[in-house]
């Protein structure tokens, strides 16, 4: 009987010790996993659309952080954007494939030539404002390919290292047939396809102006996926008169009830948010690694 307590103690201590060891090993493993920084691409869209968007690009470029700039090579101010991007190789450049022109009194059309792609334009020679209007037409897929390839070629001809494509208003991905066209072009020119590479992506576009900063910081704190490349889609511009005059024909959230434009406030708020000490401090904590598309695998690269 005198040995019973000793035997009992050994009987209990052995499995407890094993469990404790296993828990400690698991905690070490979890800590190592948690310490792995989440990879994040800040994708800033509509670059080249206006001088104000290019000024926003310059402000972000001055931070010297990596991010992705999606350039609209159909728009009047793209050449200024090219100059800024040449001086900032930390920014990966993408072609913001464009088949719409959504602003009242500020329009653009195809660069392949109006006579070459008549199914893509309205009776004034410009792109349709909305995806729905675009799809309501008898769209010729050969013309879609011709126009999108013209945009890619213009981008490449600037001499910038073009790393990816994405899709203004997502119209270029609106049908399975168009997805096939875009995929074939991306493969032909060895370009990554943003949002089609298994990324975890989100957008700040439709977040209310007053909530943008808090929503963005909360996303950084709680919603990044450490197992994937994360992409946050942003729009940034200085609130200049040209931006203040823009009225979005498609999105009511971008205008007040009496059609006073809010787009300038949305884009200036996102620019100020990215430039803010709070966000820059958040990036410096070490649990997020900012990358650009040049840092990701390219499934279409020639082996």
């Amino acid at each position: 009987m005198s040995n019973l307590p000793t035997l009992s103690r050994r009987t209990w201590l052995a499995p407890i010790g094993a469990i404790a060891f296993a828990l400690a090993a698991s905690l070490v493993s979890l800590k190592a996993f948690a310490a792995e920084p989440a990879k994040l691409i800040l994708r800033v869209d509509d670059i080249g659309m206006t001088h104000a968007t290019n000024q926003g690009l310059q402000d972000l470029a001055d931070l010297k952080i990596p991010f992705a700039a999606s350039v609209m090579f159909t728009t009047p101010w793209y050449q200024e954007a090219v100059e800024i991007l040449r001086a900032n190789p930390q920014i990966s450049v993408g072609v913001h494939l464009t088949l719409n022109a959504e602003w009242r009194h500020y329009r653009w059309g195809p660069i392949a030539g109006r006579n070459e792609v008549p199914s893509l334009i309205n009776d004034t020679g410009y792109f349709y404002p909305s995806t729905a209007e675009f799809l309501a037409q008898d769209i010729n897929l050969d013309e879609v390919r011709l126009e999108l390839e013209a945009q890619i070629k213009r981008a490449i001809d600037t001499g910038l290292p073009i790393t990816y494509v994405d899709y203004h208003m997502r119209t270029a991905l609106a049908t399975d047939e168009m997805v096939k066209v875009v995929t074939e072009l991306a493969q032909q020119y060895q370009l990554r396809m943003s949002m089609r590479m298994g990324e975890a992506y989100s957008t700040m576009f439709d977040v209310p102006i007053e909530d943008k900063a808090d929503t963005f910081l909360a996303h950084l704190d709680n919603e990044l996926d450490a197992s994937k490349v994360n992409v946050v889609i942003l729009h940034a511009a200085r609130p200049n008169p040209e931006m203040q005059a823009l009225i979005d024909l498609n999105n009511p959230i971008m205008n007040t009830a009496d059609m006073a434009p809010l787009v300038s406030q949305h884009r200036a708020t996102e620019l100020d948010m990215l430039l803010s000490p709070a966000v820059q401090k958040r990036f410096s904590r070490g649990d997020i690694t900012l990358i650009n598309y040049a840092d990701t695998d390219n499934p279409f690269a020639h082996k």
Side-chain angles (χ1 to χ4, degrees), residues 45-46 102-103 168-170 202-209 212 215 232-236 248 250-254 262-263 265-267 270 273:
D45 286 2
D46 292 1
E102 71 272 31
W103 308 106
H168 184 54
M169 296 169 52
R170 304 191 191 181
S202 62
T203 180
M204 296 294 297
F205 179 81
D206 51 0
V207 176
I209 293 167
K212 284 185 187 289
T215 299
V232 178
I233 300 168
L234 301 141
H235 297 78
D248 192 328
N250 300 317
N251 293 289
I253 64 169
M254 290 296 157
L262 296 176
V263 62
Q265 295 179 47
H266 274 271
R267 300 191 180 203
E270 292 189 25
M273 174 188 77

Side-chain angles (χ1 to χ4, degrees), residues 1 5 21 42 77 104 133 160 174 182 231 236 273 284 286 289 293 301:
M1 295 293 292
F21 180 83
L42 304 173
W77 283 91
R104 190 175 75 177
E133 288 175 271
L160 290 170
V182 175
V231 179
M273 174 188 77
S284 71
T289 298
Y293 273 105

Side-chain angles (χ1 to χ4, degrees), residues 14-174:
I16 289 174
I19 292 170
F21 180 83
L23 285 172
S26 297
L27 287 172
V28 170
S29 177
L30 285 171
K31 185 176 180 181
F33 179 79
E36 186 71 22
K39 295 178 180 179
L40 174 62
I41 296 175
L42 304 173
R43 198 188 89 192
V44 185
D45 286 2
D46 292 1
I47 300 301
M49 188 184 86
T50 63
H51 179 53
T53 60
N54 292 342
Q55 289 178 307
L57 171 66
Q58 183 65 70
D59 291 339
L60 295 175
D62 290 343
L63 295 174
K64 299 303 178 185
I65 61 174
F67 65 94
S70 299
V71 181
M72 303 176 78
F73 285 94
T74 62
T75 53
W77 283 91
Y78 86 88
Q79 294 174 84
E80 181 187 51
V82 168
E83 291 184 6
I84 295 169
L85 292 165
R86 281 183 182 139
N88 289 279
Q90 79 277 13
I91 305 170
S92 62
V93 184
V95 184
H96 201 46
L97 297 172
T98 301
L99 294 168
N100 297 102
E102 71 272 31
W103 308 106
R104 190 175 75 177
H105 306 320
Y106 180 51
R107 312 300 303 282
W108 50 78
I111 63 174
R114 289 180 170 88
N115 293 332
E116 303 298 322
V117 291
S119 74
L120 308 187
I121 58 177
N122 62 15
D123 56 5
T124 62
Y126 297 118
F127 287 136
Y128 291 95
S130 70
T131 303
E133 288 175 271
F134 175 88
L135 293 176
Q137 314 307 313
D138 184 16
I139 297 298
N140 184 309
L141 282 175
D142 289 337
E143 294 177 16
V144 171
R145 183 186 299 272
L146 182 64
E147 172 58 24
L148 296 184
E149 186 170 17
Q151 294 177 27
I152 292 170
K153 285 181 176 179
R154 174 178 278 186
I156 292 171
D157 287 347
T158 66
L160 290 170
I162 307 300
T163 59
Y164 70 97
V165 295
D166 64 17
Y167 333 94
H168 184 54
M169 296 169 52
R170 304 191 191 181
T171 301
L173 300 182

Side-chain angles (χ1 to χ4, degrees), residues 224-240:
L224 298 185
D225 188 337
S227 68
K228 298 181 178 181
V229 172
N230 298 270
V231 179
V232 178
I233 300 168
L234 301 141
H235 297 78
R238 292 186 190 173
N240 290 352

